Amino acid sequence: MPAQTKQTVVHFSAPFSLNGLDGIQPAGDYTIEEDEDEIQGTTWVARRRLATFIHLPATSSGRKPRETVPIDYLDLLAALAHDQARD
């Protein structure tokens, strides 16, 4: 089966940073895209994450609207956990 893209929205309550992103990002909702490949065994089906991307909003610094940037999925999970621990 060909690769599929799954979209989700995550929320950050406070400004955050991720490896691969320039500077601190503002709090808010961010669209995350995950490209996945299906692995079929004889009696099971699994998914393998191929890539993870975050959509960044435009800023006055000249960034393109809705810039899509590749990120590390584990960095994203750690940043979300850190954000939730602040509450």
Side-chain angles (χ1 to χ4, degrees):
M1 179 173 237
Q4 295 180 346
T5 300
K6 177 176 76 173
Q7 274 194 354
T8 57
V9 176
V10 297
H11 178 78
F12 285 95
S13 307
F16 68 99
S17 65
L18 292 172
N19 290 332
L21 300 183
D22 293 334
I24 305 292
Q25 303 303 312
D29 295 331
Y30 289 83
T31 300
I32 304 297
E33 284 187 3
E34 296 177 69
D35 291 343
E36 297 178 333
D37 195 14
E38 190 173 276
I39 304 167
Q40 291 191 345
T42 55
T43 59
W44 49 267
V45 175
R47 296 206 168 274
R48 175 178 58 141
R49 186 175 300 106
L50 301 173
T52 304
F53 302 91
I54 188 169
H55 291 274
L56 301 176
T59 63
S60 59
S61 66
R63 185 187 298 153
K64 299 174 191 171
R66 269 188 74 118
E67 180 180 7
T68 302
V69 180
I71 58 170
D72 183 278
Y73 181 74
L74 295 178
D75 286 344
L76 174 64
L77 291 181
L80 287 168
H82 180 71
D83 187 67
Q84 290 174 354
R86 292 179 181 180
D87 293 339

